[in-house]
Amino acid sequence: MSIDKTSANLDKTPSQDEHVVENPEAASASVTAVDPRLLVQEEGLLGYWHEFKRKMKAGELGSLPVIVGLAIICVIFQLLNSEFLSAQNLSDITVTMVGTGMISVGIVFVLLLGEIDLSVGSVSGAASALAAVLAVNQGWPEWAAVLLAVVAGIAIGALHGFFFAVLGAPAFAVTLAGLLFWLGFMLKVLGSDGTINLDSNGLVGKLTTYFFADVAAAYGLAVVVVAVFFLTSFLGNRRREAAGIPFRPLSDTILRTVLLAVVSFAAAYMYNQYKGLPLATVIFVAFLVGTDFVLRRTSYGRKIFALGGSVEASRRAGINVTAVRISVFAISGGFAAIGGLFLASKIASANQSAGTGDLLMNAIAAAVIGGTSLFGGRGRTWNALLGVLVIVSIQYGLQLESIAEPVKYMITAAVLLTTVVIDSITRKTQKTAGRA
């Protein structure tokens, strides 16, 4: 009878002489992962420093590069033009970014799978055109037209997901076809006129023009945000402590809360120096909080990350790969439709240029620049906020300096390329450190 050599080797107990490291360089470069909560508990502020050094060695940069980059952008443009950090300019930036940012949130979901959706620009234009035709030309209640437009975006995304997940067509090819088809659909819906003006006092019109003028609104929202963050962090740590697993000490929670409070109240003060708290920004942040909760706190979100790591391993773990893939593309289509409505609100019309130009590039670039990996399995919806802030800040800064449009494209491309290179280097560093 033959003996399985593999099984025999598994049963064999190695002696001291057999403990040989095959790759001493990789072993020496590896970094032992330690839960940061334990470091903070045991070493206090020194624990933060040790954890920071460990992450740098392991290539776990997170959002640090984009935050540093955003700070550099602000300093450079403020030195060039003192109006860059004015309340009006900052408020305009945070309102303008919402349309592209919403689309980018959907892109984050798709990138987490390691896929791409090239149709989001056209879907956003088609959704805004559909809402405009139904509300203005057909006399529908505006809320119903908006609801149908968003549902249509979700259905379009699900259709793309069906071709990809069920029929096995590459997502790149499916969504590229979708880009062309829905662009044609938009032009057909708009008809010969090509432009439909929206009521500036209507539901869509107020998405980007309504401001909560009362100073209590901005400060009140800041108080709510800080209070909710502290309570959720505190209660979460209490549950972890009761379960006997690592938790952050109270001092750590307080420090994080104070930092959030500084940012929140500074933003509130800035908004109150101009028109007040923008409705568009409030809606955007609400969507970011909701989608971040879905990705990080639900089993559905964990399934998305699992698929981005390994499809086959996810399938063997019992995850319905087909359903998750279709749902992710449906989410992408839905956010594309919502973003299209915000973009239409910004120009108070739906026209033939909607969803075209550099919109698709900016939406994808925002997700990648913000820190979402092109290789799947790593990212957060907050990356869309950071990335779109970088892109729109560059656009506004160059506009203040009257820089030509071609230069804007080249600078944005350079930022995107730098981000992708950093992502690639980070992944290599993680593999060397045994963290990938």
Side-chain angles (χ1 to χ4, degrees):
M1 180 183 296
S2 62
I3 299 176
D4 184 17
K5 294 182 179 180
T6 303
S7 301
N9 288 335
L10 288 175
D11 295 333
K12 182 180 179 181
T13 303
S15 62
Q16 292 181 348
D17 295 335
E18 292 174 302
H19 285 285
V20 180
V21 179
E22 295 182 0
N23 191 345
E25 294 182 0
S28 62
S30 63
V31 181
T32 303
V34 181
D35 194 308
R37 288 174 283 256
L38 290 176
L39 283 176
V40 175
Q41 281 180 282
E42 297 171 359
E43 304 179 17
L45 293 177
L46 186 61
Y48 282 112
W49 174 246
H50 288 163
E51 176 64 5
F52 175 77
K53 290 195 299 182
R54 184 196 70 77
K55 287 185 175 181
M56 292 300 101
K57 290 180 179 179
E60 299 176 26
L61 301 179
S63 298
L64 181 61
V66 68
I67 293 175
V68 172
L70 185 60
I72 293 174
I73 289 171
C74 291
V75 170
I76 291 175
F77 283 124
Q78 179 65 16
L79 293 175
L80 293 174
N81 193 313
S82 59
E83 292 298 314
F84 182 78
L85 292 181
S86 66
Q88 178 178 350
N89 194 59
L90 292 178
S91 179
D92 289 343
I93 288 175
T94 57
V95 172
T96 300
M97 74 178 185
V98 174
T100 305
M102 285 288 190
I103 300 174
S104 186
V105 170
I107 290 291
V108 169
F109 277 81
V110 177
L111 289 179
L112 287 175
L113 294 182
E115 302 296 338
I116 194 67
D117 188 349
L118 301 178
S119 68
V120 289
S122 295
V123 173
S124 70
S128 64
L130 182 61
V133 168
L134 293 176
V136 178
N137 294 356
Q138 302 298 324
W140 282 37
E142 196 169 8
W143 66 267
V146 168
L147 179 61
L148 183 61
V150 175
V151 171
I154 295 173
I156 291 170
L159 179 63
H160 295 162
F162 173 81
F163 281 106
F164 165 60
V166 178
L167 301 184
F172 179 89
V174 171
T175 56
L176 179 60
L179 182 155
L180 299 173
F181 183 88
W182 300 115
L183 176 60
F185 175 84
M186 178 190 71
L187 298 177
K188 181 68 175 178
V189 167
L190 290 174
S192 57
D193 292 338
T195 300
I196 299 177
N197 294 322
L198 301 173
D199 181 8
S200 59
N201 293 319
L203 177 61
V204 175
K206 286 187 175 181
L207 286 176
T208 56
T209 60
Y210 186 82
F211 291 78
F212 298 96
D214 192 337
V215 295
Y219 288 122
L221 181 61
V223 170
V224 170
V225 168
V226 173
V228 169
F229 175 81
F230 176 78
L231 288 176
T232 54
S233 300
F234 178 76
L235 295 177
N237 287 330
R238 290 289 298 272
R239 287 194 298 269
R240 296 182 70 89
E241 182 180 8
I245 56 180
F247 63 94
R248 295 187 184 278
L250 181 60
S251 59
D252 178 75
T253 302
I254 292 176
L255 176 61
R256 290 168 176 265
T257 304
V258 170
L259 292 176
L260 177 61
V262 170
V263 174
S264 300
F265 282 96
Y269 175 80
M270 178 271 295
Y271 284 131
N272 285 331
Q273 298 306 303
Y274 185 47
K275 293 182 178 180
L277 180 64
L279 173 64
T281 306
V282 174
I283 295 174
F284 187 36
V285 172
F287 271 108
L288 289 173
V289 172
T291 51
D292 183 69
F293 177 84
V294 169
L295 284 177
R296 297 197 305 120
R297 301 293 183 182
T298 67
S299 60
Y300 173 72
R302 289 189 285 272
K303 290 175 182 177
I304 294 176
F305 281 105
L307 258 66
S310 173
V311 175
E312 185 58 33
S314 300
R315 183 178 288 109
R316 295 190 178 191
I319 295 175
N320 189 332
V321 174
T322 300
V324 173
R325 282 175 163 176
I326 293 176
S327 66
V328 165
F329 277 88
I331 290 171
S332 179
F335 273 101
I338 296 172
L341 295 172
F342 276 92
L343 293 170
S345 173
K346 188 64 178 175
I347 61 176
S349 68
N351 57 43
Q352 294 179 340
S353 64
T356 60
D358 59 358
L359 177 61
L360 173 62
M361 178 199 72
N362 286 341
I364 297 175
V368 176
I369 290 173
T372 305
S373 176
L374 283 169
F375 303 96
R378 190 178 79 244
R380 296 179 61 180
T381 50
W382 290 99
N383 297 147
L385 171 63
L386 292 173
V388 77
L389 265 176
V390 169
I391 291 175
V392 178
S393 296
I394 291 174
Q395 292 174 343
Y396 267 71
L398 295 176
Q399 185 175 331
L400 287 174
E401 294 302 305
S402 300
I403 302 297
E405 195 71 21
V407 179
K408 296 181 183 178
Y409 285 118
M410 289 187 286
I411 292 178
T412 305
V415 173
L416 176 59
L417 178 60
T418 302
T419 305
V420 173
V421 170
I422 291 175
D423 183 35
S424 299
I425 294 174
T426 297
R427 287 179 62 83
K428 291 180 179 178
T429 304
Q430 290 176 341
K431 288 181 179 180
T432 302
R435 298 286 294 163

